[in-house]
Structure formats: C-alpha cells, structure tokens
Amino acid sequence: MTVRTVSTTPFADQKPGTSGLRKKVIAFQKPHYLENFVQSIFDSIGAPAGSTLTVGGDGRYYNREAIQIILKMAAANGFGRVLVGQGGILSTPAASCVIRKYQTFGGIVLSASHNPGGPDGDFGIKYNIGNGGPAPEKVTEAIFDRSKTITAYRILEAVDVGLDVVGETPLGGMVVQVIDPVSDYADLMETLFDFGAIRALLAGGFRLKFDAMHAVTGPYAKEIIEQRLGAPVGSVMNGVPLTDFGNGHPDPNLTYAHELVEIVYGDNAPDFGAASDGDGDRNMILGRGFFVTPSDSLAVLAANATRVPGYKAGLAGIARSMPTSAAADRVAAALGIPCYETPTGWKFFGNLMDAGRVTLCGEESFGTGSDHVREKDGLWAVLFWLNVLAVRDQSVEAIVREHWAKFGRNVYSRHDYEGLPLEAANELMKHVHDSFPSLPGSQLGSYQVQFCDDFSYTDPVDGSVSTGQGVRIGFTDGSRVVLRLSGTGTEGATLRIYLEAYEPDVSRHHLDAQVALAELIGLALQVTELKARTGRDQPTVIT
Ligand code: VG1
Ligand code: CO
C-alpha cells in the first residue's frame, strides 16, 4: 500500500456554515471536493502522528463512500487509529460521546442534519474537537483558509475497509476499529436518568411514540426505549435508517414530522410523542394533543433538573442561543444561576460547558443538551422528559401549563421563508440594517421600538468576538422580533423570523401562538418589506 500525493486546486466555496460544510451530494462527488476539505482539516488541526480520530455519520447517501475516503486519507496523514461506528453510523451526540469517552484527538461527523438526503439531496461534513464539540470559529476559519490555498492531498492506495463487523482492521500503518455505535451512548444515558422509574412508568400503561424519521436515531431509540426501558415493540416508528430518509425531510417539527403529529393529535393518542432529526441531535416533544416549543422545553427541563439523577446537584448555569426565547432566563433567575445568550449554533456553548459555567443549553431550533457531551442531543431530551414525567406523574400539558402559571409564558414562534433568491434576501437584511437609525422610539401599531441592533457576542471564556449574528428589534414591553439568514441551507437563502412576546396573564395562556403573535408578525412583514422584496408573505414552515 502506497501513499499517493494528489495535486489539486482550491474550491472557493468550502466555508463551513452554522454546523459544518453542507452542499448537495453532487457537489461532494466532484473529483477532489471532499478530499480537499478533509486535507484542509488535517492540515489545520495539528494532530500529532499516531493520534486517534472518531469518524461516523448519519447514514445518508454517500456516507459510506465518504468514510472510505476519510479512512484512507487519515492513514496517509499519520493517524494511528480511527474509531468508526459500525456500518459508518454514529449519531452526532454519539460521536461526541465517543470522542470524549475514548479521548480521541477529534472527530469527523458526516451529516447534513435535517436536510433531505439521497442522490439529489444534501451531504455534510464537520470537524469536532477533542472536547467532543463542534469546532469553534477559529478552527473552522483556519480550515476554510487552508481550503483556499491547498495544492495537494495525501491518500493511501488501498481496498475499502469492511465497516459492518465490529473489530480491528489494519490500514497502512493505521488501525481501523469498528465500534458498536449505540452501546457507549446508551450506557451514558443510563448514568444520567432513572431508567427504573421510566420502566415503571411504561409498565404502568403510559404510552409513547418516538419517530426516528428513517434517520440515525432508529437503532439508538430501539435499544434504549424498547430494549432497555421495555416500551412495546413499535413504540419507535420509522426506526430503520435509510440513505434517503424515505424521501422525507428528517426535521422534527410540526410540518415535517406530520405522521407523528397526526398520531399524537388523533384518537386514542399516546401520552407522549417525540421525534429526532437526521443526525439525532434535535428533538421535538409532544404531549397528547399538545406541542412543547423547544424554548419552553429548555425552561421546563431546567426547572425540573434536580428531579433527575444526573442533575440532582443542581445546574451551574444555562445557555441559550440569542433567538431562543427568554423562558429559560426566568428559570435561571429564580434558581439564582447565570443565563448566557450566545449566537446560533452549538459551537458557541462548548467553552461555557468546558469552563463549568453552564450545565444545560438550548436552541429554539429543537436543540437541547447538557454537559454530558458537547453536542445537542435528541434522545437525551426525550429521556429527560420521560424521567420528569415518571417523577411528577402529570401530563406533558399539565407540566407546561403549571410552568407558565409560575413563570409567565414566553409566547414564541419562528417563521421560515425558504428558497428565497440570495440577492433579495441580502437586500432585505441590508434594508433592515439601514432602518436602524430611524426605528428606535418609533411607534409600530401598539408596539414601540426600544432598540435594534445586530447581535454580537464576546465569548466570556476566551474573549473571541463573533459579529453579525442576527438582527434584533426589541419593543418596550419586552417583545421582540429577530431576523437571521440561515447558515445551513444549500439552495438560495432561508430567512428566519423569530417572534416572542411575554404573557404573564394566565387567562391568556390558552391562546394559540400565531394568534397571540399576530400583530408582531404583521410588524415583521412591514419592517422587512418582505412581500415587496420577495413576493412572499406566507412562511414555508412555522415552528
Ligand atoms: C440551524 C438552526 C441552529 C442549529 C443549526 C444546526 O442553523 O437554526 O439553531 O444550531 O441549524 O443544527 P441555521 O443557520 O440554518 O439557522 V443541525 O441539527 O442542522 O446540526
Ligand atoms: Co441535526
């Protein structure tokens, strides 16, 4: 087996977005495209010779081919060992768990998360550092810089390595170790949650449905929910990972997880419903005929954390992404712990968790997690909820309504406008920026603008500064509208409009969020001139 050095020229578009590099599959299949990016990673991270790397992905189309390329490149670049999930599978939180447990130098996770898969769908790759978390911006910037000047990559000439049987195979001077992708993760969950209490809840007739959406969490959910917790077989639906996710959109929200939603809102509905996304880091939580917004979910979990074994000592702090509602802030204030507001993307939570400043983190985009790993974690959130339900013996809806009665309700919704022409979207954002000087103090309907800015963040641990993280328009009554362009899409632009109003009055807590937020929604359309600029006034997806 010989190492080949292949000449290449840079691609200009290898800048990682909110969570790694995501492109159409056909872009990754272009000669040298994946190889350039992988070599740029290896050239930037400074792994000592003989280091161990973790590799796995969500099983989408091109996962296996990409892993073979990465293994051969790792061997040619001096790695000593690669831990790879059986069949090339590792959910994002499981990859984080493996990196931490076996203290590997870092990991490469292959996923485009909730984006559709298949030959015409999306593919993605991201690098995680030794703490198990997504590479921080200084690392992704170094990778991007390298990708702009790369002239060659190294790859071993070798036959493909079998990935379907657990065990070790030499590859050049390196060892490929195929590991069970589920057991380390499932074992970690058992250390955090009271499996006995959840088993008893399920044995007592509590019914649940978990929708793996034909994506990576199927094997994890079957092992944990059906095997270890004893839920009836069939509690996990769509549990076999498919390379094209059954032609679906593996995004756990009311729109894309409609199969589950129909069950949970239908006759004879189960007590609890949940879904996860393509790579297993997101979660949607449903009670019988009741949707829990991710922002509320974070707040409820924080308020109930000490009821759960892994968190009984209390929380050091909470962090949420800027567009996430301030429901968690109210819990943090009541608990007397700090609450941090970070830019969108899990990479911003890593330093806070490493420094012991926060225990729980969350994003409005169906992401919740804790310092047990350094990624958001879909099944973890499901188990946390089940543990709380087992202890409190109340319905999901009753728990959330009680929470609102105590803390008030941060009424919340996100409206996504997908597939906008790039130029129109950029112009729209520029227009809002240009309105900054005139907005503060102005009266818009019954709302008065208090401030508007473009969010920037100084990491309190390492002092790094991230600017341009989303426009905030705050009103005097504490309501707000936030605008951002997505950093994970692969086609055109996606505008996200985040809407939040605080409602302390219990007699108004029953209101549908779209009704309660109707005036703010209208104001957002007005300020952005959305219809005139894009021809649209109805969002593609509402969450
Ligand atoms: C979206 C979400 C963000 C999340 C990111 C990655 O990013 O808004 O909160 O961290 O996806 O999640 P954007 O830039 O499209 O708004 V995942 O499950 O795609 O890894
Ligand atoms: Co995801």
Short mmCIF file of all heavy atoms in Angstrom, two decimals, residues 15 68 85 92-93 99 183 187 203 310-311 349 415-416 432 459 467 479 503-504:
data_model
loop_
_atom_site.label_atom_id
_atom_site.label_comp_id
_atom_site.label_asym_id
_atom_site.label_seq_id
_atom_site.Cartn_x
_atom_site.Cartn_y
_atom_site.Cartn_z
N LYS A 15 -16.42 27.19 2.87
CA LYS A 15 -16.55 27.87 4.16
C LYS A 15 -17.62 27.15 4.98
O LYS A 15 -18.79 27.09 4.58
CB LYS A 15 -16.97 29.32 3.95
CG LYS A 15 -17.02 30.13 5.24
CD LYS A 15 -17.37 31.59 4.92
CE LYS A 15 -17.63 32.41 6.16
NZ LYS A 15 -16.52 32.49 7.10
N GLN A 68 -14.85 5.86 3.49
CA GLN A 68 -13.69 5.15 2.92
C GLN A 68 -12.59 6.14 2.52
O GLN A 68 -11.41 5.92 2.76
CB GLN A 68 -14.12 4.32 1.70
CG GLN A 68 -15.05 3.16 2.03
CD GLN A 68 -14.41 2.08 2.91
OE1 GLN A 68 -13.18 1.99 3.02
NE2 GLN A 68 -15.25 1.28 3.56
N GLY A 85 -18.02 4.06 13.65
CA GLY A 85 -19.26 3.37 14.02
C GLY A 85 -19.58 2.27 13.02
O GLY A 85 -19.36 2.44 11.81
N THR A 92 -24.82 12.33 15.85
CA THR A 92 -23.96 13.44 16.29
C THR A 92 -23.66 13.39 17.80
O THR A 92 -22.51 13.48 18.20
CB THR A 92 -24.59 14.78 15.85
OG1 THR A 92 -24.41 14.89 14.43
CG2 THR A 92 -23.97 15.96 16.53
N PRO A 93 -24.70 13.22 18.66
CA PRO A 93 -24.36 13.12 20.09
C PRO A 93 -23.55 11.87 20.44
O PRO A 93 -22.68 11.93 21.33
CB PRO A 93 -25.72 13.10 20.80
CG PRO A 93 -26.74 12.85 19.74
CD PRO A 93 -26.16 13.32 18.45
N ILE A 99 -15.89 10.51 21.23
CA ILE A 99 -14.67 11.35 21.28
C ILE A 99 -14.25 11.57 22.73
O ILE A 99 -13.08 11.47 23.09
CB ILE A 99 -14.93 12.72 20.60
CG1 ILE A 99 -15.17 12.54 19.10
CG2 ILE A 99 -13.75 13.67 20.84
CD1 ILE A 99 -15.69 13.81 18.39
N SER A 183 -23.85 1.35 21.95
CA SER A 183 -23.71 0.95 23.36
C SER A 183 -23.08 2.04 24.24
O SER A 183 -23.56 2.28 25.36
CB SER A 183 -22.93 -0.35 23.46
OG SER A 183 -21.69 -0.22 22.83
N ASP A 187 -25.15 3.53 27.32
CA ASP A 187 -24.61 3.40 28.69
C ASP A 187 -24.53 4.76 29.37
O ASP A 187 -24.84 4.90 30.56
CB ASP A 187 -23.20 2.77 28.66
CG ASP A 187 -23.23 1.31 28.21
OD1 ASP A 187 -24.34 0.73 28.13
OD2 ASP A 187 -22.15 0.76 27.93
N ALA A 203 -44.45 0.52 32.28
CA ALA A 203 -45.14 -0.72 32.68
C ALA A 203 -46.54 -0.39 33.21
O ALA A 203 -47.45 -1.21 33.15
CB ALA A 203 -44.33 -1.46 33.74
N GLY A 310 -28.93 12.61 37.11
CA GLY A 310 -27.72 13.22 36.57
C GLY A 310 -27.58 14.70 36.90
O GLY A 310 -26.51 15.29 36.72
N TYR A 311 -28.66 15.33 37.36
CA TYR A 311 -28.63 16.78 37.59
C TYR A 311 -29.11 17.13 38.99
O TYR A 311 -29.45 18.28 39.27
CB TYR A 311 -29.49 17.47 36.51
CG TYR A 311 -29.01 17.06 35.14
CD1 TYR A 311 -29.60 15.97 34.48
CD2 TYR A 311 -27.92 17.67 34.55
CE1 TYR A 311 -29.11 15.53 33.26
CE2 TYR A 311 -27.44 17.24 33.33
CZ TYR A 311 -28.03 16.17 32.69
OH TYR A 311 -27.53 15.72 31.49
N PHE A 349 -21.53 26.97 22.66
CA PHE A 349 -21.75 26.51 24.03
C PHE A 349 -20.54 25.79 24.62
O PHE A 349 -20.43 25.63 25.83
CB PHE A 349 -22.95 25.56 24.08
CG PHE A 349 -24.28 26.19 23.74
CD1 PHE A 349 -25.16 25.55 22.87
CD2 PHE A 349 -24.66 27.40 24.28
CE1 PHE A 349 -26.40 26.11 22.56
CE2 PHE A 349 -25.90 27.98 23.96
CZ PHE A 349 -26.76 27.33 23.10
N HIS A 415 -40.90 31.79 11.97
CA HIS A 415 -41.41 31.68 10.60
C HIS A 415 -40.22 31.62 9.64
O HIS A 415 -39.40 32.53 9.61
CB HIS A 415 -42.27 32.90 10.25
CG HIS A 415 -43.60 32.91 10.95
ND1 HIS A 415 -44.66 33.66 10.54
CD2 HIS A 415 -44.04 32.23 12.04
CE1 HIS A 415 -45.70 33.47 11.33
NE2 HIS A 415 -45.35 32.60 12.26
N ASP A 416 -40.15 30.55 8.87
CA ASP A 416 -39.07 30.39 7.91
C ASP A 416 -39.57 30.65 6.50
O ASP A 416 -40.61 30.11 6.10
CB ASP A 416 -38.52 28.96 7.95
CG ASP A 416 -37.73 28.68 9.22
OD1 ASP A 416 -37.29 29.65 9.86
OD2 ASP A 416 -37.56 27.50 9.55
N VAL A 432 -33.14 46.39 6.44
CA VAL A 432 -33.43 46.46 7.88
C VAL A 432 -32.27 47.15 8.61
O VAL A 432 -32.48 48.00 9.47
CB VAL A 432 -33.72 45.06 8.46
CG1 VAL A 432 -33.99 45.16 9.95
CG2 VAL A 432 -34.90 44.41 7.76
N ASP A 459 -17.14 35.90 23.68
CA ASP A 459 -17.09 34.68 24.48
C ASP A 459 -16.44 35.01 25.83
O ASP A 459 -15.31 35.50 25.87
CB ASP A 459 -16.25 33.63 23.73
CG ASP A 459 -16.23 32.29 24.42
OD1 ASP A 459 -15.83 32.22 25.60
OD2 ASP A 459 -16.60 31.30 23.78
N THR A 467 -19.40 38.65 15.29
CA THR A 467 -20.31 39.75 14.96
C THR A 467 -21.32 39.29 13.89
O THR A 467 -21.19 38.21 13.32
CB THR A 467 -19.54 40.96 14.41
OG1 THR A 467 -18.78 40.51 13.29
CG2 THR A 467 -18.60 41.53 15.45
N SER A 479 -41.29 42.47 24.11
CA SER A 479 -41.45 41.62 22.93
C SER A 479 -40.28 41.84 21.99
O SER A 479 -39.62 42.88 22.05
CB SER A 479 -42.74 41.98 22.18
OG SER A 479 -43.83 41.91 23.04
N GLU A 503 -46.21 36.89 28.17
CA GLU A 503 -47.59 36.95 28.62
C GLU A 503 -47.69 36.43 30.06
O GLU A 503 -47.68 35.23 30.32
CB GLU A 503 -48.48 36.08 27.70
CG GLU A 503 -49.94 36.05 28.09
CD GLU A 503 -50.54 37.44 28.16
OE1 GLU A 503 -50.87 38.02 27.11
OE2 GLU A 503 -50.64 37.96 29.30
N PRO A 504 -47.76 37.34 31.02
CA PRO A 504 -47.86 36.89 32.41
C PRO A 504 -49.27 36.43 32.80
O PRO A 504 -49.43 35.68 33.77
CB PRO A 504 -47.47 38.15 33.22
CG PRO A 504 -47.73 39.30 32.31
CD PRO A 504 -47.65 38.81 30.90
#
